[in-house]
Amino acid sequence: HLPQMMKCCHFQFRLMMLIYFLLQTYHPRSYCVFNHNIPILRLWVNVEAELKHDFRLSRSAMHGLQRLLRREQDHGWGNELEILIYVYWLAHGLSYRVVSRVFSVPKSTVHRVIHKVVQNIWMNLKQAIFFPQAGELHAVGQGFAQLSGSPAFSNVVGAIDCSHIKIKPPLQNRIDYLNYKGFFSINMQVICDSDARFLDIFVGYPGSVHDTRIMKNSSFYRAVRYPPTGYILLGDGGYPCMDTPITLITPYKEPINGQIQGRFNHFHSKGRSVIERAFGMMKTRWRSTLFRALECAFLHNVCLDNGDILEPDADVAQDFIDPQPPREPLVNNESSGSGRLAALVSVHVPAP
């Protein structure tokens, strides 16, 4: 039996060597490749072609998104094609069936790809939406001073507001989703910087819930994460003016009393308007698919980071001229306006 044993050992040795060779030389590759005969993919591979009409993103923003969501994979359709499918679906609010025809892939594949990319975005949210580091706060403050037209606002490092995202309300608790503007929605709270970049997102409360209640239940407020001591957030008249646990400055309530308060409200409004512009940019780009509010906010920042700026359409901007939510009653540490800051505005800047 010795020759048979030696023959068996020799075979096992050769098999082990073959496996070792394959492991050393194998490089993962996607088994599915682009079909360049499909019009939407011909557009993509033509590096001179503009993408915004079909994808709502510029080519530079699309590349930035693909870099941000890059991951290792050894099967499937490949990261590049999967992100194209997802962004196209998001841009047009289409059914899986229509997207499958556009890209010539099975409907089940479109479903799987979209859920995979969404999960990837959620896992990478903090790569695009985050508060500035301590060394960056001065630049943010200078941005708000420039926006407002007053150096008194140089310690402002964010503006906070909520925006209503229209939804089809659930059958249960339907009335909870009816907001003060008269339509059904969920509320999306955002803090943005002086460049209209989102720093924090909080989504999910029904449309009837007041902005102040949403803020006081959001993680940044409860953990006193932002702004740091000595810095300020700007809010509209629906919020309370407070010093603790965060510093939030709002305009003086109408009717105003004298020129100092009038000047303060004027420059406060100019500085705070950046958050209306940020919402307007996002709603203009993704108006048909804002039910994916978190992903739209993520992509808003990716676009800004890659120089893809889309100014709000006039009809979207009109949303922010509508009446503001009613102000809730003030509590112990809350007031209206800021006398100290208002005085600084009056000193530094002449009346408009």
Side-chain angles (χ1 to χ4, degrees), residues 63-89:
H63 284 306
L65 178 63
Q66 290 172 343
R67 286 192 301 271
L68 195 60
L69 299 182
R70 182 180 292 125
R71 68 187 190 281
E72 293 295 330
Q73 66 182 77
D74 59 2
H75 65 283
W77 293 85
N79 190 57
E80 185 178 359
L81 181 56
E82 288 176 354
I83 290 175
L84 290 177
I85 290 173
Y86 171 77
V87 174
Y88 187 88
W89 168 80

Side-chain angles (χ1 to χ4, degrees), residues 32-319:
C32 300
V33 295
F34 279 8
N35 180 354
H36 292 169
N37 294 320
I38 299 173
I40 195 69
L41 296 181
R42 284 205 306 268
L43 175 72
W44 169 247
V45 298
N46 178 7
V47 296
E48 301 297 326
E50 178 55 60
L51 300 180
K52 273 195 174 182
H53 178 75
D54 292 277
F55 291 96
R56 308 298 291 169
L57 265 66
S58 68
R59 190 171 291 272
S60 61
M62 186 71 79
H63 284 306
L65 178 63
Q66 290 172 343
R67 286 192 301 271
L68 195 60
L69 299 182
R70 182 180 292 125
R71 68 187 190 281
E72 293 295 330
Q73 66 182 77
D74 59 2
H75 65 283
W77 293 85
N79 190 57
E80 185 178 359
L81 181 56
E82 288 176 354
I83 290 175
L84 290 177
I85 290 173
Y86 171 77
V87 174
Y88 187 88
W89 168 80
L90 186 67
H92 300 285
L94 299 171
S95 68
Y96 295 157
R97 181 178 290 105
V98 173
V99 177
S100 74
R101 291 173 182 168
V102 172
F103 285 87
S104 190
V105 298
K107 187 177 73 170
S108 59
T109 296
V110 174
H111 177 272
R112 185 169 59 252
V113 163
I114 287 172
H115 282 265
K116 182 191 293 185
V117 176
V118 167
Q119 185 179 28
N120 199 7
I121 288 175
W122 289 350
M123 292 174 60
N124 287 277
L125 273 178
K126 292 184 179 179
Q127 301 299 315
I129 302 174
F130 49 83
F131 290 120
Q133 299 295 316
E136 300 168 327
L137 293 174
H138 176 76
V140 177
Q142 290 304 304
F144 275 102
Q146 184 175 3
L147 284 172
S148 66
S150 170
F153 287 82
S154 60
N155 282 349
V156 173
V157 291
I160 185 171
D161 202 359
C162 285
S163 183
H164 291 274
I165 309 301
K166 290 183 179 180
I167 63 164
K168 183 179 180 180
L171 294 178
Q172 292 185 337
N173 304 317
R174 179 184 178 91
I175 195 65
D176 291 345
Y177 294 85
L178 183 64
N179 63 47
Y180 71 96
K181 294 185 177 184
F183 62 87
F184 296 102
S185 66
I186 60 170
N187 237 320
M188 176 182 184
Q189 176 186 276
V190 162
I191 300 173
C192 80
D193 67 11
S194 51
D195 293 321
R197 195 176 188 282
F198 295 145
L199 306 179
D200 188 68
I201 307 291
F202 188 57
V203 184
Y205 270 83
S208 66
V209 179
H210 195 278
D211 293 359
T212 299
R213 180 182 167 194
I214 295 171
M215 179 188 71
K216 291 183 177 180
N217 283 280
S218 57
S219 59
F220 95 91
Y221 181 91
R222 293 168 70 92
V224 197
R225 291 177 54 215
Y226 199 79
T229 302
Y231 293 95
I232 299 166
L233 291 183
L234 298 182
D236 65 24
Y239 288 99
C241 190
M242 59 175 65
D243 290 325
T244 59
I246 64 170
T247 303
L248 172 62
I249 301 300
T250 61
Y252 283 97
K253 187 177 180 179
E254 300 287 345
I256 58 173
N257 182 20
Q259 289 187 348
I260 291 179
Q261 291 187 5
R263 291 170 185 167
F264 175 80
N265 279 8
H266 172 76
F267 294 110
H268 180 285
S269 176
K270 288 178 65 178
R272 199 195 65 82
S273 66
V274 68
I275 197 162
E276 297 171 357
R277 178 169 174 261
F279 277 130
M281 292 167 67
M282 186 182 71
K283 289 189 174 186
T284 296
R285 193 184 298 271
W286 307 110
R287 64 174 64 214
S288 64
T289 51
L290 275 173
F291 62 92
R292 312 295 311 196
L294 204 61
E295 295 95 298
C296 291
F298 177 91
L299 292 171
H300 169 84
N301 278 8
V302 171
C303 289
L304 291 186
D305 292 344
N306 289 276
D308 183 358
I309 299 174
L310 185 66
E311 292 301 326
D313 286 345
D315 60 329
V316 172
Q318 180 65 34
D319 290 345

